[in-house]
Amino acid sequence: MLGPVQLEAIQRAAGPGNMSTERATLWTYGMDNSRRHALPDAVVYASDHAQVRAVVQACFTHRIPLTARGRGTGTTGATVPIHGGVVLSFERMSRILEVNPEDRLMVVEPGVTNGEVQDAAREHGFFWPPDPTSSAFCTVGGNLAYNSAGPRAVKYGTVRDNVLALRAISGDGRDFRTGTRTTKGVVGYDLTRLLVGSEGTLAIITEATLRLTPLPEAIRTARALYRDMQSAADAVARLMAQPVTPCALEFIDGAAMDMIRGHTDADLPVHARAMLMIEVDGPAACLEPALASIRAAAGVDGLLEWREARDAAEVQTLWATRKALSPALRKVAPKKINEDVVVPVSRIPALIGGLEKLSAAHAIPIINFGHAGNGNIHVNLLLDPDAPGAWERAHACLDEVFALVLELGGTLSGEHGVGLEKRDFIDRELGDTALDLMRQIRTVFDPAGILNADKTLPLTGGLSAPLSGQASAS
């Protein structure tokens, strides 16, 4: 628990009306979209760069844990304040500071939502490529923290590829800028890409300069159904090897299709065991030959059906099947475990085959879907947490899932981050030297260890001592 002197220092730094210690408020800000919860001692509402710097400096001086937070849509517990202290919420820092079509950039505060960025960019004929499923609600700050990308990453890259510059504050209260307003620049080390994906463990970002992309003149949508996973994977490999790069290449497996059939009126043949949703964008005059190239690449042995949308209504019809999956999953298994692993595209069949075996061995249904073009598969373990032994079986299965992913040359997280949920697994992927260097980098940025302590990197010897009294967790 924070003492009176500490709370007074934070209140003074936060300014009038910008801090709460009311228990109901603390409860709300103690959770994210994971199952974890811990009470902070105070919630501070960020208002501008100077105020944030004052709050960080006060936390550094008094060794108070500090957890930055957007809208809490993350699934890994990264914004859960496990050591209590201060939650710094950016929901009020939601201004779009500049839109510059000539230089193809936008400058924003971290609390602006992804959807608001898209709306503002669209008015000028542009878009920001990162498009997570939660874009209507998630913030740019959260996108930066997790490097959350979405379907368009297959063509346009991740958040790291679409941020030009940042303004930030280190853990000891020093402000600094990274990057440039230009698309070229090699002066100094690339701190921008280092901060993106660091989950608030290195610095607090207060401003981001986003790289915008012109809206395509036209988009074409198609759906391909396959008799088995191997056929679909062969198609994905061919699609990614030909000159036309899809702007979306989404995949769901046979188990997911079975679930959709049971909960919607989706038009899916019972013998189809894999589905690809494909979109192509670009100049209208070029889309017919581009789609022809895509169609030819998708036409492998095992293709059961190819459908192209000719108008907006047909686009909605084709996407209806994919969009029906998440509601069906919430209905069947509201407490599912959702992981987002990545494997090389060529190893997707081996991953799905291995997951089917693990599902049978542990008696846990597993549903798979995701971004096939870059091998980012969302693995959903469906379980009834009230069933005897369900959690034990699920965690044993998850352990083997991660082992399988690494065996296939993959990585344990594509866009959900690490947080707490994967923290104790990543030493399997990263060597001792790399982890040691990362810990040293973290100490340089955050010498007192106040920023999102004990997240992202494995602990070196059990749970570290609370910085100022760990809040109760549930």
Side-chain angles (χ1 to χ4, degrees):
M1 296 289 294
L2 298 184
V5 173
Q6 293 172 308
L7 285 172
E8 182 182 354
I10 297 300
Q11 178 68 79
R12 188 165 52 250
N18 290 325
M19 189 179 102
S20 175
T21 56
E22 199 272 330
R23 186 172 177 82
T25 300
L26 300 182
W27 184 269
T28 301
Y29 287 86
M31 66 184 77
D32 62 3
N33 202 25
S34 69
R35 297 181 183 85
R36 297 176 181 267
H37 186 272
L39 285 178
D41 295 290
V43 175
V44 171
Y45 302 98
S47 58
D48 56 40
H49 178 86
Q51 180 238 28
V52 172
R53 180 176 57 195
V55 171
V56 175
Q57 289 173 343
C59 288
F60 172 70
T61 298
H62 295 277
R63 299 303 191 262
I64 298 170
L66 181 62
T67 305
R69 174 191 173 91
R71 294 292 187 90
T73 59
T75 61
T76 64
T79 59
V80 176
I82 58 173
H83 292 298
V86 172
V87 165
L88 182 60
S89 173
F90 281 89
E91 62 199 89
R92 296 181 184 176
M93 279 186 70
S94 57
R95 294 179 300 165
I96 295 175
L97 303 174
E98 177 187 356
V99 181
N100 188 325
E102 291 81 6
D103 292 331
R104 294 189 177 188
L105 62 83
M106 180 186 296
V107 183
V108 302
E109 293 180 328
V112 67
T113 67
N114 184 289
E116 289 167 342
V117 165
Q118 306 299 353
D119 291 342
R122 191 178 301 111
E123 292 180 5
H124 298 271
F126 290 85
F127 70 100
W128 191 46
D131 61 332
T133 304
S134 57
S135 61
F137 192 73
C138 67
T139 64
V140 169
N143 298 163
L144 295 168
Y146 297 111
N147 194 30
S148 302
R152 288 195 294 236
V154 65
K155 179 174 182 178
Y156 294 105
T158 66
V159 174
R160 282 195 175 105
D161 304 306
N162 291 283
V163 175
L164 295 171
L166 299 171
R167 191 180 189 190
I169 301 165
S170 65
D172 53 359
R174 294 174 294 164
D175 59 357
F176 62 99
R177 292 181 180 272
T178 75
T180 69
R181 289 169 64 95
T182 61
T183 55
K184 280 188 175 182
V186 293
V187 175
Y189 298 123
D190 192 346
L191 298 183
T192 304
R193 293 178 71 89
L194 178 62
L195 292 188
V196 174
S198 63
E199 301 184 17
T201 63
L202 299 180
I204 304 296
I205 296 171
T206 60
E207 182 181 294
T209 302
L210 311 180
R211 180 179 185 174
L212 302 181
T213 298
L215 285 166
E217 187 177 13
I219 300 176
R220 292 293 300 273
T221 303
R223 186 184 78 178
L225 302 178
Y226 296 89
R227 68 164 179 249
D228 52 42
M229 186 57 235
Q230 184 63 56
S231 301
D234 290 344
V236 170
R238 288 182 52 174
L239 285 164
M240 295 308 297
Q242 48 87 51
V244 179
T245 301
C247 63
L249 181 52
E250 298 291 284
F251 146 83
I252 68 172
D253 69 2
M257 295 172 72
D258 291 339
M259 174 172 289
I260 293 171
R261 290 190 194 95
H263 291 84
T264 72
D265 296 327
D267 177 22
L268 293 174
V270 293
H271 53 292
R273 302 308 300 162
M275 182 180 85
L276 297 180
M277 288 296 305
I278 308 166
E279 285 195 333
V280 185
D281 64 0
C286 300
L287 280 199
E288 281 302 330
L291 196 59
S293 179
I294 292 288
R295 188 187 311 118
V300 300
D301 181 38
L303 175 67
L304 301 177
E305 178 187 289
W306 172 269
R307 291 179 61 184
E308 297 175 15
R310 296 294 176 179
D311 54 39
E314 286 191 45
V315 170
Q316 291 185 349
T317 298
L318 292 188
W319 275 108
T321 301
R322 170 64 182 85
K323 292 181 178 180
L325 181 55
S326 291
L329 281 170
R330 285 195 295 269
K331 183 175 181 179
V332 172
K335 296 183 178 180
K336 64 184 175 67
I337 295 176
N338 177 18
E339 296 296 342
D340 75 313
V341 300
V342 189
V343 296
V345 170
S346 63
R347 307 311 301 274
I348 291 177
L351 174 64
I352 301 302
L355 292 173
E356 290 175 349
K357 293 178 181 177
L358 292 178
S359 174
H362 294 277
I364 294 178
I366 298 180
I367 300 293
N368 304 293
F369 60 93
H371 316 309
N374 44 32
N376 185 189
I377 306 300
H378 295 280
V379 179
N380 296 265
L381 280 63
L382 312 187
L383 72 155
D384 177 3
D386 298 323
W391 280 114
E392 291 77 9
R393 287 186 291 108
H395 285 287
C397 181
L398 186 61
D399 187 278
E400 294 187 48
V401 168
F402 289 156
L404 173 63
V405 169
L406 295 177
E407 179 185 328
L408 296 174
T411 183
L412 300 184
S413 183
E415 58 188 2
H416 288 181
V418 173
L420 289 168
E421 298 296 333
K422 296 184 183 181
R423 178 195 65 188
D424 298 330
F425 293 96
I426 69 166
D427 58 347
R428 303 184 188 183
E429 179 175 338
L430 302 174
D432 291 341
T433 300
L435 283 172
D436 183 57
L437 290 170
M438 290 178 188
R439 291 187 178 106
Q440 292 181 51
I441 291 171
R442 188 165 179 168
T443 300
V444 170
F445 276 89
D446 180 24
I450 65 170
L451 298 183
N452 219 5
D454 293 335
K455 308 282 182 62
T456 303
L457 298 182
L459 305 182
T460 55
L463 186 64
S464 65
L467 293 170
S468 67
Q470 182 172 343
S472 61
S474 60

